[in-house]
Amino acid sequence: MSDNQILKLNLTMSPRAVDELKDFSTLNGVSKYEIPLIMFPEGQPFEIKAAVNDSQMILLCFNINDRTITLCGRLDSNNFFCTSVNNNQIQGKPFTLYFQQEKSEDFTYISDDVKKRLSIWYDYIESILKKAQAASHVFFCRGASLKDSKIEINTYDLKAGTDVRSLTVGFIEDNGRPSWGFGNAERLDGEVLTVKPFASDPISIMKELSSGIRLIAYDGVSDITCRRMKFGLDKLCRGEAVNKRLTEFLFDPKKANRTVGENVFLNEENLLSKTMNSEQISAVEGALNAEDLYLIQGPPGTGKTTVIAEICYQNAIRGLKTLIVSQSNLAVDNAISRVMNHADIRVLRKGDA
């Protein structure tokens, strides 16, 4: 053991710092929020160098497996809150450091109250699925053939005159729900169902369409939407959200972390939009510096879309991603139209325009 001065600190990390730390990790098959617990285990001594930079941020420089990892953050008593991670070497004072992990920060913990609220969302998803299932049609395949790149299925037990337009046709699980769809139903002529396959080469599907197999015509849009929503909720309940504290402030914004993160200040030189006023710039800075939650309110015409576009740009040049969601497709299009032609921005548009 060295004769260095000993430090004992509690370690917490911002979501941004966790993402950056992940880039220095070789761990696979674990939640990224487990990475700090594994890389900096409680009670293990680390020989480090510590310094204070020009912004009065604390720098802790480690050598882990011959790699330099520097944690940058704030120190409050014996609590170190890491806001960023890099691989810069520093000139500092040597210390022997022990981290103490806060048990209350268990990334899998969700309170009973939050579980009850989330159960309402699960019930909502289940109600949509049941409604879609009630409008579905289960039938048998007598045989199938290809004609002009369409699949023609000879059906049994599918009522003549059934309106199959806009429905997806697919295979069915034992519980009566779709397993996966292979095409869109176009029309039903007598007992022949014409399906436009999703795949450009439907040969593999044809091999599955043997006589006697059960199929289902169902609302594919509702089914895939509900599956995705349930998948997202499942990840949230397992503590795998990008911000592991999301369940804490999702239903109670007062529990959001109100401390300033990066302490970013913008000037005209590093703005995408050079015409923003001081209030808009302040809103962008607030969003960039917020650790958990930042709300922006303003009546129509006050430049909220400009602020959203600027936040996207500022995140992008920092190597971060931004998800824009809205109840209106037009609102999303308006925001991304401000940044999509910029050389430093890559835009992925999901959904119909």
Side-chain angles (χ1 to χ4, degrees):
M1 180 67 68
S2 70
D3 295 328
N4 295 338
Q5 185 176 347
I6 294 176
L7 288 177
K8 293 185 177 180
L9 302 176
N10 295 320
L11 173 65
T12 56
M13 304 188 73
S14 71
R16 179 179 301 176
V18 172
D19 282 334
E20 293 171 345
L21 182 63
K22 183 180 179 182
D23 293 335
F24 295 96
S25 168
T26 58
L27 298 171
N28 296 312
V30 299
S31 166
K32 66 182 180 181
Y33 292 108
E34 291 181 276
I35 293 176
L37 304 176
I38 298 173
M39 293 185 66
F40 305 110
E42 184 173 6
Q44 177 175 321
F46 292 94
E47 304 302 325
I48 70 162
K49 291 181 180 180
V52 180
N53 66 11
D54 295 337
S55 301
Q56 300 302 303
M57 302 292 282
I58 304 298
L59 306 178
L60 304 179
C61 184
F62 299 74
N63 187 296
I64 299 177
N65 297 328
D66 295 325
R67 300 184 69 182
T68 298
I69 299 177
T70 298
L71 307 184
C72 178
R74 301 187 305 275
L75 188 62
D76 181 9
S77 184
N78 67 332
N79 298 305
F80 180 71
F81 181 70
C82 177
T83 57
S84 65
V85 181
N86 59 60
N87 60 352
N88 298 333
Q89 289 276 6
I90 68 170
Q91 297 295 323
K93 183 178 179 179
F95 288 91
T96 299
L97 172 64
Y98 294 84
F99 276 132
Q100 302 170 133
Q101 304 288 354
E102 293 288 344
K103 302 304 182 185
S104 60
E105 291 294 321
D106 184 351
F107 68 97
T108 60
Y109 175 75
I110 298 179
S111 69
D112 290 338
D113 180 61
V114 170
K115 288 180 180 178
K116 289 179 182 179
R117 289 174 179 263
L118 292 178
S119 69
I120 297 175
W121 293 2
Y122 277 108
D123 291 342
Y124 169 71
I125 294 172
E126 189 65 24
S127 68
I128 297 177
L129 284 173
K130 286 182 178 179
K131 183 178 179 180
Q133 189 176 20
S136 63
H137 308 278
V138 177
F139 59 96
F140 290 90
C141 170
R142 281 179 167 166
S145 60
L146 278 175
K147 183 177 181 181
D148 298 329
S149 73
K150 306 287 179 66
I151 300 175
E152 292 189 345
I153 303 173
N154 293 315
T155 67
Y156 171 71
D157 211 20
L158 183 58
K159 186 177 179 181
T162 299
D163 186 1
V164 296
R165 292 171 299 176
S166 77
L167 296 182
T168 299
V169 178
F171 301 99
I172 191 170
E173 297 177 348
D174 293 338
N175 60 9
R177 289 188 172 176
S179 57
W180 61 278
F182 56 81
N184 288 324
E186 290 194 340
R187 62 183 179 275
L188 178 64
D189 295 325
E191 295 183 344
V192 178
L193 176 64
T194 302
V195 179
K196 182 179 180 180
F198 297 137
S200 57
D201 183 8
I203 298 300
S204 60
I205 299 172
M206 296 299 297
K207 294 178 181 179
E208 300 290 334
L209 292 175
S210 58
S211 178
I213 192 170
R214 279 203 316 166
L215 300 174
I216 185 171
Y218 64 102
D219 185 345
V221 175
S222 294
D223 182 75
I224 192 65
T225 299
C226 289
R227 287 175 185 263
R228 288 172 177 169
M229 287 194 295
K230 186 177 183 301
F231 178 75
L233 275 179
D234 289 343
K235 291 192 69 175
L236 182 65
C237 291
R238 292 196 301 266
E240 296 177 5
V242 172
N243 187 338
K244 67 175 180 178
R245 300 185 61 253
L246 179 60
T247 54
E248 296 180 26
F249 62 84
L250 184 61
F251 301 105
D252 188 357
K254 288 184 286 188
K255 293 183 178 180
N257 185 352
R258 299 189 181 187
T259 58
V260 175
E262 291 295 300
N263 205 21
V264 173
F265 293 98
L266 302 174
N267 53 53
E268 185 176 331
E269 295 177 357
N270 52 28
L271 292 176
L272 173 67
S273 175
K274 310 298 183 183
T275 60
M276 287 202 306
N277 59 40
S278 59
E279 290 184 344
Q280 289 173 310
I281 294 174
S282 177
V284 175
E285 291 174 341
L288 296 177
N289 291 323
E291 287 297 328
D292 282 342
L293 182 69
Y294 192 78
L295 305 179
I296 300 173
Q297 183 180 16
T302 53
K304 295 187 297 297
T305 301
T306 300
V307 168
I308 294 171
E310 189 68 41
I311 292 170
C312 294
Y313 171 75
Q314 295 295 332
N315 278 339
I317 63 177
R318 289 167 171 78
L320 303 174
K321 301 175 183 178
T322 307
L323 173 66
I324 304 177
V325 294
S326 173
Q327 78 278 12
S328 165
N329 286 327
L330 182 60
V332 174
D333 291 335
N334 285 341
I336 65 176
S337 67
R338 312 285 182 94
V339 296
M340 65 186 302
N341 294 322
H342 195 283
D344 294 331
I345 308 295
R346 288 190 301 168
V347 175
L348 174 64
R349 177 67 161 84
K350 178 69 175 176
D352 296 330

